[in-house]
Amino acid sequence: MAAKANFETPAFRPYPVIPILKPGAMKGNGPFVAKPPMQEALGFPGELIDNWHDVAIEKMGELLKKYRSLRVYLDACVKCGACTDKCHYMIGTFDPKNMPVARQDLLRQVYRRYFTLAGKWFPKLVGAKDLTREVLDDWYNYFHQCSQCRRCSVFCPYGIDTADISMAAREILDSVGKGQKYCNEIIAKVYKIGNNLGLPEPALRDTLEGLEEDIKDETGVDVRLPVDEEGAEVLVITPSADFFAEPHIDGLIGYAKVFHQAGISWTLSSSASEAANFSMFIGSYENMRRVALRIREAAINLKVKRIIFGECGHAWRVAYSFLNTLVGPFDFLDQRYPIPQHICEFTYDLIQKGALKLDKSANDHRRVTFHDSCNVARASRMGDMPGGQFIIPREVIKASCNHFYDMPADTIHDQTYCCGGGGGLLTDDLMELRVKGALPRMEALKHVVDNYGVTHMAAICAICKTQFAKVLPYYGFEMDQIISVHQLVSDAIVLSVDEI
Ligand code: SF4
Ligand code: SF4
């Protein structure tokens, strides 16, 4: 007979599965190396220099002096192991060097050897290692298997930030001429043409005109997508994927409809037609500043009063956390608004004021979940409330559709999993890593698909959207199950011809 009690007996827990590690599983899976012209455009040596060893150690010393945090992170780890199973790349590949602590150790062992007394005299005792070509190659491989998502640091009792260590490693690699093709090529395109995709101004104008015609055909309303319009109130800085890629473009249409209904003039800029700032991924402050400077110049030239960022995760981190110190002060903008502001904050404010007409039933064919993007979730905020970066996008979604379901609690908010393509890894030469790294998010998505019939996952990051469109089919989903948050707004907003 079962015993009775006035308390709840805990349920049996599933037997934990201890993963079998696969040493070297992802060794040699580094991305393509940048060619000399790409490197030189950013001020780095074209290819691996002869005295790379000495230059790398010197650069490490320079970074240790410049960033006190880096030295603290390298000194503070007590090998408690709390981070070991928290990285999506570790979960997806079982390569032990994808454990955050092991990834950090690749740099830490060299730091100890050259910058600590114990490491100089008793290297074996303290796990210190010489910087050899093999170690350098490991840096290249495994620091390009970190999307700098910062999930591991949430679980570290000392708050050690592996993303910062990964940025420092990539900065050292660039300084000796071993940069990554994808990131460095993109940054060079931003300098030359204004955006990541190399989309020239005439093509941008054509695209925007085409979108205006599409909206007119769909709604009968003249909704504008202006570019370089001097004197507009708002400058919108958005990822260039918004101009042509699916599902991003439907988000851009959503922004345009929101501005239209709010009656607020806005413009894009042909010279700053890109929100992304990949310089953060390579840890290059100088390049990050140079990329950000285009935004300041565009705002001054166009005489706008506000700057609003579109749906882009890491761009929002750069904007929220660094824009003012990188290229401020923005004393020429209207100080009554956040500088800068996120498009979700903007839309949320209008919803709160009752300034948008939204018909939620227009999205009744969708059951929606939301993917928190890492750089928004763990490296920035929205609004003036704690956790605004989690609350505001969800409130925008809930104001636009009737069926919303969150994924499991340990996979959202500050514990969100990376899409698998962040941090400059969204390149086809890293496809295996991207698919494997997406596993935890795909499992969480499957949970809400199976339990609540979820049909779509919304996101506010261009990298996440592109990554999911590519990897969803690998896990048996459809590529169009990923959508922009402002696509939901776009479909729900009720425009009337009287607003023209
Ligand atoms: S920052 Fe993200 S990708 Fe990098 S080690 Fe930590 S959990 Fe993994
Ligand atoms: S959780 Fe922090 S202290 Fe513990 S092993 Fe990982 S990095 Fe080191």
Side-chain angles (χ1 to χ4, degrees):
M1 200 173 109
K4 281 190 184 161
N6 59 354
F7 53 82
E8 209 177 312
T9 306
F12 287 119
R13 295 180 301 163
Y15 193 76
V17 180
I18 311 293
I20 296 167
L21 296 178
K22 297 181 189 163
M26 298 300 282
K27 192 174 172 65
N29 277 33
F32 294 156
V33 176
K35 296 214 164 67
M38 289 168 203
Q39 287 285 100
E40 284 153 8
L42 308 191
F44 304 132
E47 55 195 358
L48 191 64
I49 51 179
D50 291 340
N51 58 340
W52 59 267
H53 176 277
D54 296 351
V55 172
I57 298 301
E58 196 183 321
K59 187 73 183 176
M60 186 184 271
E62 182 194 314
L63 296 182
L64 288 166
K65 273 201 199 113
K66 202 156 131 196
Y67 305 120
R68 177 101 182 91
S69 53
L70 180 62
R71 191 182 283 270
V72 171
Y73 294 151
L74 293 174
D75 280 336
C77 176
V78 293
K79 303 285 191 290
C80 70
C83 64
T84 50
D85 59 348
K86 303 304 186 294
C87 174
H88 48 292
Y89 294 123
M90 166 59 196
I91 294 170
T93 68
F94 298 121
D95 189 320
K97 283 188 180 162
N98 275 329
M99 291 179 187
V101 57
R103 196 186 313 285
Q104 298 163 16
D105 271 357
L106 294 174
L107 205 75
R108 185 174 285 123
Q109 59 200 8
V110 175
Y111 158 71
R112 286 202 174 138
R113 181 73 180 102
Y114 298 86
F115 295 95
T116 67
L117 267 183
K120 278 176 191 163
W121 293 104
F122 314 105
K124 286 214 174 98
L125 279 183
V126 294
K129 251 192 177 179
D130 287 342
L131 176 59
T132 60
R133 183 59 204 263
E134 198 193 345
V135 170
L136 192 83
D137 289 345
D138 258 4
W139 284 5
Y140 189 78
N141 277 337
Y142 289 101
F143 286 113
H144 288 108
Q145 293 186 33
C146 168
S147 57
Q148 304 172 344
C149 76
R150 310 178 86 220
R151 186 172 196 269
C152 48
S153 66
V154 170
F155 297 89
C156 173
Y158 297 92
I160 293 171
D161 189 344
T162 317
D164 262 17
I165 294 175
S166 156
M167 287 171 194
R170 294 193 196 177
E171 197 173 359
I172 297 170
L173 287 161
D174 269 322
S175 77
V176 298
K178 197 167 163 128
Q180 184 215 10
K181 177 176 184 273
Y182 177 62
C183 279
N184 293 2
E185 190 175 27
I186 276 182
I187 298 167
K189 263 190 216 155
V190 172
Y191 290 152
K192 205 165 158 200
I193 300 171
N195 53 62
N196 283 9
L197 299 165
L199 194 68
E201 186 188 334
L204 175 63
R205 285 184 188 279
D206 271 5
T207 306
L208 296 174
E209 277 169 26
L211 290 180
E212 287 177 349
E213 283 162 21
D214 291 349
I215 301 172
K216 174 86 176 179
D217 288 348
E218 183 215 339
T219 64
V221 179
D222 285 308
V223 173
R224 298 196 57 222
L225 284 104
V227 63
D228 292 339
E229 206 145 285
E230 200 177 301
E233 180 164 343
V234 176
L235 169 64
V236 171
I237 302 290
T238 207
S240 53
D242 279 3
F243 301 133
F244 84 103
E246 289 288 354
H248 316 59
I249 206 162
D250 300 299
L252 176 66
I253 291 171
Y255 318 157
K257 288 183 181 174
V258 168
F259 280 110
H260 177 89
Q261 192 159 81
I264 295 173
S265 63
W266 68 292
T267 186
L268 296 156
S269 158
S270 60
S271 60
S273 49
E274 180 61 69
N277 193 332
F278 275 36
S279 316
M280 184 176 76
F281 299 150
I282 60 167
S284 171
Y285 184 89
E286 263 323 300
N287 281 293
M288 193 155 82
R289 186 171 182 282
R290 208 174 136 197
V291 172
L293 210 48
R294 295 152 42 255
I295 296 169
R296 179 187 174 85
E297 283 161 3
I300 292 172
N301 293 339
L302 293 169
K303 301 186 177 56
V304 296
K305 299 193 183 82
R306 304 165 66 178
I307 299 176
I308 292 181
F309 274 74
E311 296 184 3
C312 183
H314 83 280
W316 181 239
R317 178 181 185 188
V318 176
Y320 180 88
S321 302
F322 310 128
L323 199 66
N324 280 283
T325 46
L326 276 175
V327 292
F330 286 94
D331 45 4
F332 56 91
L333 295 178
D334 189 332
Q335 304 295 307
R336 290 174 301 167
Y337 299 99
I339 302 171
Q341 193 172 28
H342 194 283
I343 189 72
C344 284
E345 292 177 297
F346 177 71
T347 302
Y348 175 72
D349 281 352
L350 292 169
I351 292 169
Q352 297 296 103
K353 288 178 189 147
L356 295 184
K357 280 181 245 163
L358 296 169
D359 172 14
K360 296 203 243 187
S361 69
N363 281 307
D364 272 356
H365 57 297
R366 297 183 172 121
R367 297 168 87 81
V368 180
T369 192
F370 177 64
H371 165 75
D372 292 280
S373 299
C374 308
N375 277 299
V376 176
R378 286 186 284 265
S380 68
R381 204 163 107 171
M382 281 184 208
D384 54 9
M385 57 192 138
Q389 72 273 35
F390 311 128
I391 298 163
I392 288 176
R394 283 173 172 78
E395 288 304 312
V396 171
I397 293 172
K398 286 186 209 161
S400 308
C401 75
N402 282 311
H403 308 294
F404 174 77
Y405 306 89
D406 252 323
M407 286 180 274
D410 58 349
T411 73
I412 58 169
H413 293 193
D414 61 343
Q415 294 190 44
T416 189
Y417 276 106
C418 173
C419 62
L425 309 184
L426 190 75
T427 168
D428 283 354
D429 43 308
L430 289 175
M431 207 57 218
E432 181 184 348
L433 179 79
R434 286 169 54 189
V435 171
K436 289 180 172 174
L439 174 69
R441 173 49 79 227
M442 293 295 100
E443 287 174 333
L445 175 62
K446 187 171 183 324
H447 176 84
V448 285
V449 167
D450 292 349
N451 288 280
Y452 308 114
V454 160
T455 58
H456 290 85
M457 178 163 63
I460 50 169
C461 171
I463 288 177
C464 297
K465 291 174 205 171
T466 306
Q467 159 75 351
F468 286 133
K470 195 93 178 195
V471 303
L472 280 166
Y474 283 87
Y475 288 93
F477 301 108
E478 302 294 328
M479 66 185 293
D480 59 4
Q481 285 184 263
I482 176 71
I483 52 174
S484 300
V485 165
H486 273 78
Q487 179 176 347
L488 294 166
V489 178
S490 175
D491 289 351
I493 205 162
V494 183
L495 298 179
S496 80
V497 189
D498 310 336
E499 287 167 350
I500 300 170

